[in-house]
Each structure stands twice: as C-alpha cells, then as structure tokens.
Amino acid sequence: MPEPTSPAAGVVVYSGMAAEPIDVGTAWDAVETAATGAVVTFGGVVRNHDSGRAVERLHYSAHPTADTRMAELAADVAARHPGTRLWAAHRTGDLAIGDAALVAAAASSHRGEAFEACRDLVEAVKHGVPVWKEQHFADGETEWVGMA
C-alpha cells in the first residue's frame, strides 16, 4: 500500500502594500475555489479611540522593503499551512475611521486549517512587516506606533 503523501504547501495568491482602499470581498474572491470548504477573513479597521483617547485618523508609512518582507512572511506561513490559499494587503497613506488597514484571507478544505492559517498570516504581517502608524488625536496631538 502506498504511503500517504502530505498536501502541497499553501499558496500565496497575493501579498503586498496598498495605497488604495482594500476590502475583505476582494480577498475572499481571490482565495475561494471549488475545492474550498472554508474561507476565513480578517479586517483590521481604523477605530475612533486608542487608550482612552479620541482618534480622528491614521497615517501609515512603510519601509521600501515592506512588499518584499510581506511576500517572504506570507510564503513562510504558506509553508506552515499545507493546502491553504492566502491573501494579505496592508494600507499605506491616510486612513479615516472605518477604513481597512489590514485585510487577510485564508482558504482551505476545512475550517480549522483556514482559521489557523489566517491568524498566523495576520500575526506575521503585524509583527514582521516594517510599517509605522501615526495616530492623529482629536486634541491635535500625534503619536507614532511601531517605531523602535
């Protein structure tokens, strides 16, 4: 009897930085196939507060290597999650309250795998892509987040 083979590594359908608005529907459509049994999406949305302070808007800046780094991290996630299809984009520029700053999606034959892959992808992007957030508060002050 032949040995069972492990599924092929996951596939990165898309990963990159985006100067234009991004949405979960685009990510969903890109990863869904006839073989998909589950699609999990994530939308990181600009909120109107942070640590008890009113936020009016955000500005995201990215290092010139951000696209390359995001592609590397997405490939690493795909290698850890065989049989998945992955999509991720992170915004740059000015964002208003309610805008999507990070969108990710993972598709797989089964929900558990899709959930795990999506979370892994989001965490990899949040912790590994050189992106900095400037928060603009209602009182006129600003604060940079992610600057080490």
Side-chain angles (χ1 to χ4, degrees):
M1 179 179 230
E3 290 284 322
T5 58
S6 62
V11 173
V12 178
V13 177
Y14 176 81
S15 70
M17 305 305 295
E20 299 299 322
I22 51 178
D23 66 79
V24 171
T26 299
W28 179 294
D29 292 345
V31 298
E32 185 181 30
T33 70
T36 300
V39 176
V40 173
T41 59
F42 171 84
V45 180
V46 177
R47 63 183 179 269
N48 68 356
H49 64 93
D50 186 41
S51 301
R53 297 179 71 188
V55 173
E56 288 190 336
R57 62 187 172 88
L58 301 180
H59 180 87
Y60 282 96
S61 301
H63 190 273
T65 62
D67 271 319
T68 300
R69 185 66 182 135
M70 185 180 266
E72 292 167 351
L73 292 167
D76 290 346
V77 172
R80 290 192 295 271
H81 299 278
T84 59
R85 292 173 52 82
L86 306 173
W87 191 102
H90 198 299
R91 279 290 307 276
T92 57
D94 293 319
L95 281 75
I97 304 304
D99 286 348
L102 170 61
V103 170
S108 185
S109 296
H110 303 283
R111 69 181 176 275
E113 296 158 354
F115 273 113
E116 289 175 23
C118 191
R119 181 180 183 104
D120 194 4
L121 181 59
V122 169
E123 295 300 326
V125 170
K126 290 294 293 179
H127 297 291
V129 178
V131 174
W132 305 281
K133 174 173 65 175
E134 183 181 17
Q135 298 189 109
H136 294 263
F137 295 103
D139 63 10
E141 291 189 21
T142 61
E143 173 185 66
W144 284 92
V145 180
M147 302 292 276

